[in-house]
Amino acid sequence: MASEGKRARKIVFSIFLLFFALLLLIAYIRYLDLKKAFIEKASDKATSVIGQRVHIENLSISLSGAINLYGITIKNPEGFAAGQLLQIRRLYLDVRPNELLKGSFSFKNIILYSPELTLMRDEKGRWNISDGLMRFLSEKSTTKYQVDEFRIDSGTFDMNKDKRCRSDSINLRLRNLSSDPNTKTEINGTFMCAGNKIQIDGWGYLNDPAKKVNFFISPTDFSLSPFRKLLEAYKIETEKTRMGIDLHIDGNAEKGFQLTTNLRVKKIGVFSLKKG
């Protein structure tokens, strides 16, 4: 009798485990369907707003409420060659749910991992930015938002595939980004431009009508190699020339901006002058 009761309990427990596993499988399949539908709806909504095709590969939501969007792509507008205006490997959003319920977008962190912005012009001189996206970027938003920290990790910027205008290894950090016009936002970071590492430090009131800013931009060891063709006429050996440049921007949109530059030539190479 005892053995038969033990066997019955095992059967019941096995059926329960099977039933529970089946429920989990159904719930997971339903979750995948809902996630796919949400991604498609979010992509379609973004496409209709900016006028360029937006694609999102995947998303995940942590128990703390943080959102990860993977493989975000904004395609070139109609009339352009195949390609994309913007591609982001991962977008991390650390949301404050309580503030979101109050109608305010509040984030602890927003991080863009490996964003690639590619600007190009066609034969008619048009940029690969749709009219809808231009309106979206130029219109003043009434949405209230607060971002404690906004970061760009390993970003890339390219314009018309011109190496002199290309920037990569972009690592920028903005602290205290807000819709409040009285907010002082600190900005610092580094990026590579034309093969030169450039440091940027400063602050600005980005939503203030006066646009008060104070920035230091300083490439410590600037090489002229990418500008070889441009400087050939001046007999300068760009590979051997090194410069130090400090650029300070201070002021506001109402009274004007003061630009101070400190230029130092560390090493210079000049071709021998030809006879005559």
Side-chain angles (χ1 to χ4, degrees):
M1 293 292 293
S3 61
E4 291 181 0
K6 189 175 181 179
R7 189 180 301 112
R9 285 194 297 270
K10 286 184 178 180
I11 294 173
V12 171
F13 184 68
S14 298
I15 294 174
F16 173 77
L17 285 179
L18 182 61
F19 179 71
F20 184 69
L22 184 61
L23 285 179
L24 286 179
L25 179 61
I26 294 173
Y28 181 68
I29 294 174
R30 181 57 178 163
Y31 162 75
L32 292 178
D33 290 339
L34 290 174
K35 187 173 74 168
K36 182 179 178 181
F38 177 80
I39 291 174
E40 291 178 353
K41 187 174 182 179
S43 300
D44 292 341
K45 180 63 177 179
T47 299
S48 64
V49 170
I50 70 174
Q52 292 179 233
R53 181 62 190 167
V54 178
H55 176 71
I56 303 172
E57 287 185 2
N58 205 351
L59 69 82
S60 65
I61 302 175
S62 67
L63 294 177
S64 62
I67 301 171
N68 284 285
L69 299 175
Y70 301 91
I72 303 172
T73 304
I74 299 180
K75 301 290 186 180
N76 283 338
E78 293 184 5
F80 278 82
Q84 57 271 338
L85 169 67
L86 178 65
Q87 187 171 10
I88 304 173
R89 181 170 62 86
R90 177 162 71 105
L91 171 60
Y92 173 78
L93 305 167
D94 194 353
V95 187
R96 291 188 177 94
N98 293 337
E99 294 297 323
L100 189 61
L101 294 174
K102 297 177 184 177
S104 177
F105 291 91
S106 182
F107 302 86
K108 297 176 184 177
N109 295 95
I110 296 179
I111 306 175
L112 276 65
Y113 293 95
S114 302
E116 297 181 15
L117 177 62
T118 305
L119 291 178
M120 62 178 66
R121 274 186 167 176
D122 63 7
E123 62 279 359
K124 297 180 181 179
R126 299 175 304 173
W127 292 103
N128 58 332
I129 303 176
S130 67
D131 294 337
L133 181 55
M134 287 295 293
R135 286 193 300 270
F136 178 79
L137 295 174
S138 60
E139 290 178 355
K140 185 173 178 61
S141 175
T142 58
T143 304
K144 293 183 179 181
Y145 62 86
Q146 169 65 40
V147 183
D148 295 351
E149 183 178 85
F150 176 86
R151 272 179 30 211
I152 296 176
D153 281 5
S154 302
T156 302
F157 171 74
D158 188 271
M159 182 182 291
N160 283 331
K161 298 182 179 179
D162 188 340
K163 293 182 179 179
R164 295 171 299 178
C165 299
R166 179 180 174 84
S167 297
D168 47 31
S169 299
I170 300 173
N171 296 286
L172 292 177
R173 179 173 296 176
L174 285 73
R175 294 184 179 90
N176 198 21
L177 190 63
S178 173
S179 56
D180 186 349
N182 297 316
T183 301
K184 181 180 180 180
T185 301
E186 297 180 5
I187 304 174
N188 62 76
T190 59
F191 61 94
M192 299 293 293
C193 182
N196 297 285
K197 186 176 182 179
I198 298 176
Q199 176 84 30
I200 179 170
D201 290 286
W203 53 264
Y205 288 83
L206 304 182
N207 275 312
D208 190 288
K211 296 291 188 297
K212 293 179 287 185
V213 298
N214 190 302
F215 288 112
F216 285 94
I217 302 174
S218 55
T220 55
D221 193 15
F222 195 85
S223 171
L224 298 179
S225 298
F227 307 96
R228 179 175 56 83
K229 291 185 178 180
L230 185 64
L231 297 175
E232 276 182 350
Y234 301 96
K235 308 301 180 183
I236 296 176
E237 288 187 274
T238 54
E239 288 79 8
K240 296 181 179 180
T241 304
R242 292 292 184 274
M243 304 175 68
I245 306 173
D246 295 325
L247 182 63
H248 181 210
I249 304 172
D250 184 23
N252 59 66
E254 295 177 349
K255 296 182 179 180
F257 299 94
Q258 182 177 356
L259 183 64
T260 306
T261 304
N262 181 21
L263 177 63
R264 304 177 303 281
V265 179
K266 298 182 177 181
K267 185 178 180 181
I268 188 167
V270 181
F271 290 116
S272 299
L273 296 177
K274 294 181 179 180
K275 293 182 179 181

